[in-house]
Structures are given as C-alpha cells and as structure tokens.
Amino acid sequence: MNSDNKRILSGMRATSPKLHLGNYEGALRNWVDLQNKGYEMFCMVADWHSLTTMSENSGEIGHNSIEITKDYIAAGLNPEKSAIFIQSHVKEHAELHLLFSMMTPLGWLERTPTYKEKKAEIEGAEREPYGLLGYPVLQTSDILLYRPYGVPVGRDQAPHLEIGNDIGQRFNRLYKTEIFPTYKYLIPEDETRAKLPGLDMRKMSKSYDNGINLSDTAEETAKKIKTAYTTPTKIKMDDPGIPEGCAVCQYLKVYSPDWQTQWEEDRQGLRGCSKNKNECIEAVNEYFRPMRERRAQLADGDVLEILNKGAERAREVACATMVEVRVAMGLLA
Ligand code: TRP
C-alpha cells in the first residue's frame, strides 16, 4: 500500500457492558486523537472474540456490544467520520480467519503469552475451547482485512500484533503477493496514562472489579475514589505521602491541571488523603462530564443505525481484500 494509507483498525472485546478508564487511557483516547488528526478509522466491537471466555453466557454479548458502542461515541468517536461496527456483522472476518488458520504454524499460537496465561486458568483440554488457541488468528483477520497503516491498542496486545504481521508476511511469501503490507503498533507512550492503575493499585481490570467506568455517574465515581488505595504509611495529615504508589495521585496526574502542586504537598505532608480524594473526584468528574452527557443522549435505536452504516463501510473494504486473497491463493474468486 502506498504512503498515503491513513487507515486505522482497532477493536475491543464485548465481555462487559462498561469500558473503564484503563480501556480509555490505554487505547480509546488514542483512537479519538487519530480520528481528529484525519485518519480513516475502523473501530470494531469484537463480539466473536468475547466468546473465547463467554460461550456459556453469550446472551449478554449483544447488549454489551451496544453499550460499548455508546462508550466509543461518548469518548469522542464521531460516526460521521469513523466506521464503528460489530465484528460479526462483517462475515469476511470469519472467512479470512479460516484461510489464515490453514497456514498459521501451531507453534506460534502455543507460544503466545496470553494463550499460556488463559490455558493455565483452565483445567484440562476437555474444557479448553479450540477458539482460544486461534484468538490471535481471528485478530489478525480483523486487522489485515483493512490493510491498515497502524493498529492502536493497549500494551497487552503487542504479542497479538506481532503474530499478525508474521501471518501477513507468511501469506505474502507463500502466495507470491504483496497484498498485506506490515502495519505499525500504536501503543501509548505516556506511562502514567498507559498504566493507569485500578482503585487498589493493581492493573485496572474488569475481573478485579477495581475500575472507574466511563459510564459511571459522578456519585458512583466519588464513592469509588473514596475507597481508593493511598500511601499506607500516611495516617495523619502531616505524614509524608508517596504519590508514585498512590492510586489517587496517579489519577490526579492524568486528570488534574494542578497535579504538580498536589503531589508536592502530598510528598511533604502538607495535605491529607481526604483532600486529595476530594480534588481527585472533582477532576475526574469534570474530565468525564461531557462524555457522560453525550452518552446519556444516545438511544439504542440510534446506535443500531450507526452500527449498520459502520458495517456497510467496513464490508466494502473487507470484500475487496477478500477478492484479492482468493485470487492470490488460486481459489475461484
Ligand atoms: N484482543 C483485543 C483486546 O482484547 C481486541 C481485538 C480484537 C482487537 N480484534 C482486534 C484489537 C483487532 C485490535 C485489532 O483488547
């Protein structure tokens, strides 16, 4: 693809109806920036990928997909500019996944760190779904169908992105084609944002239930921040704090314009944790207020219409790629 390729593809799974601030800082914020810089965005809700862990409670996936789409739009994705769509609405993702599955070495998949982690949580092959191993192959199909310039994701996705480029290059070599150019990994550089901790200072994660959600109300946010982890040795107001190890201070650094003063006062024992918490609540609620207002305006019907249009745009690109793929492989296109 030539140098004016400004296409971007990314996605998130639909395992929960709520995206949290870690999802926003790790990826979504970057999508919005790229959109506003003029890139042609394809933003997907990876509903099929949710099934690797949700096949027994798949009934929630449709609802989750709508709610996540609302979070995307609330965060600033503009459906007039960016194609927002559901993975399963564009069947070409499944077709390319099947074709890639025939030429992807098993060893690449067995070595994937995310696979090894998930496998360790599951007891025995009888309980391990076939699709789990192929997760990165489906993700590669999601990406390469759009032949993007770059893929903006959180850090944890880097191993999947590497396999994706390896599969693309292997395809090119096998079928003597240049259909799949390599794409760039667009991973946030700002450490504090990229690694925004959960309320307990562990990684912010739905499974730890330690997150603040984009869709939380101001009151819910306040309640959560009041329980957040702070410097454990700071008991009295004038005990010195260690802002680097305090969840509230980490949020202040990202959302409060005055964070430097707040950190310095914390360090010197000039302020107590409850003052920090109150100012943090204010800063976080102020930052997310416009997004939450935008979210409240979105009706399910509007969202479904946006998703239909998004899938149409995605299908145009995906179908064109598939014709080239079939021809390159010698199948009847
Ligand atoms: N695996 C990604 C995650 O867990 C979601 C995803 C699916 C994705 N397909 C993708 C991300 C394609 C980027 C590109 O967050």
Side-chain angles (χ1 to χ4, degrees):
M1 194 135 298
N2 51 29
S3 57
D4 52 46
N5 175 15
K6 293 192 88 187
R7 199 179 289 152
I8 300 284
L9 174 290
S10 199
M12 290 192 200
R13 299 210 299 158
T15 48
S16 151
K18 293 165 186 223
L19 296 181
H20 54 61
L21 302 197
N23 301 129
Y24 175 72
E25 295 298 339
L28 191 49
R29 177 200 281 270
N30 227 346
W31 303 5
V32 176
D33 281 350
L34 289 161
Q35 166 194 272
N36 295 341
K37 284 184 187 145
Y39 285 86
E40 184 192 4
M41 306 295 294
F42 287 82
C43 304
M44 182 185 70
V45 178
D47 60 344
W48 279 336
H49 273 110
S50 316
L51 289 165
T52 52
T53 52
M54 287 181 77
S55 59
E56 286 163 25
N57 48 337
S58 64
E60 297 160 31
I61 295 177
H63 170 70
N64 292 355
S65 302
I66 292 181
E67 293 302 307
I68 288 173
T69 304
K70 289 182 188 171
D71 282 339
Y72 284 0
I73 298 168
L77 286 183
N78 175 349
E80 301 290 320
K81 290 189 192 161
S82 299
I84 305 173
F85 68 101
I86 306 285
Q87 180 184 37
S88 67
H89 289 179
V90 183
K91 310 299 179 202
E92 285 68 21
H93 291 241
E95 183 184 356
L96 190 56
H97 168 255
L98 180 128
L99 298 176
F100 281 161
S101 79
M102 302 297 175
M103 41 145 296
T104 302
L106 201 50
W108 293 4
L109 303 175
E110 286 171 338
R111 275 197 295 276
T112 313
T114 43
Y115 171 67
K116 288 200 273 186
E117 276 164 34
K118 281 272 182 328
K119 190 182 164 72
E121 289 167 17
I122 299 170
E123 309 102 50
E126 290 301 321
R127 306 217 48 209
E128 184 192 323
Y130 164 64
L132 187 65
L133 185 67
Y135 187 112
V137 184
L138 181 56
Q139 183 160 350
T140 300
S141 313
D142 298 338
I143 297 170
L144 291 182
L145 269 178
Y146 300 87
R147 295 184 270 186
Y149 159 79
V151 184
V153 284
R155 274 175 202 219
D156 58 324
Q157 294 298 310
H160 295 160
L161 297 196
E162 269 173 45
I163 292 184
N165 268 331
D166 289 346
I167 294 176
Q169 294 314 294
R170 185 176 170 87
F171 185 98
N172 288 353
R173 225 178 317 111
L174 274 175
Y175 304 111
K176 303 190 176 44
T177 171
E178 290 180 4
I179 294 182
F180 299 118
T182 54
Y183 53 83
K184 296 197 183 323
Y185 316 160
L186 307 175
I187 292 171
E189 278 160 24
D190 180 329
E191 285 286 318
T192 319
R193 288 188 191 281
K195 292 194 183 159
L196 195 75
L199 295 157
D200 55 3
M201 259 329 256
R202 291 189 292 173
K203 179 181 156 68
M204 193 181 286
S205 158
K206 177 186 84 100
S207 48
Y208 296 152
D209 191 22
N210 63 354
I212 301 170
N213 300 315
L214 241 62
S215 54
D216 284 345
T217 62
E219 293 70 34
E220 284 164 338
T221 306
K223 217 165 137 193
K224 287 182 177 179
I225 292 176
K226 281 186 184 147
T227 69
Y229 182 93
T230 55
T231 308
T233 51
K234 185 169 166 63
I235 294 155
K236 299 191 298 314
M237 194 204 90
D238 53 2
D239 291 330
I242 306 165
E244 290 78 6
C246 158
V248 176
C249 289
Q250 295 301 303
Y251 303 154
L252 284 171
K253 184 169 178 187
V254 175
Y255 300 111
S256 165
D258 304 324
W259 72 272
Q260 274 159 319
T261 319
Q262 289 157 329
W263 272 43
E264 211 35 54
E265 288 181 11
D266 182 78
R267 225 190 277 286
Q268 293 181 16
L270 298 172
R271 56 161 57 217
C273 292
S274 63
K275 183 169 182 199
N276 263 348
K277 284 181 174 173
N278 286 332
E279 291 177 9
C280 179
I281 290 166
E282 198 145 307
V284 171
N285 281 336
E286 187 57 29
Y287 189 89
F288 289 98
R289 190 170 40 82
M291 297 189 202
R292 289 164 173 172
E293 282 172 6
R294 195 157 26 203
R295 200 181 192 290
Q297 306 288 316
L298 288 164
D300 288 7
D302 303 335
V303 171
L304 291 173
E305 203 169 304
I306 287 166
L307 290 172
N308 277 335
K309 288 213 179 99
E312 255 169 54
R313 283 175 60 191
R315 233 175 265 130
E316 262 173 48
V317 179
C319 289
T321 302
M322 283 318 297
V323 172
E324 289 187 46
V325 166
R326 294 181 206 117
V327 170
M329 293 179 74
L331 304 172
L332 291 179

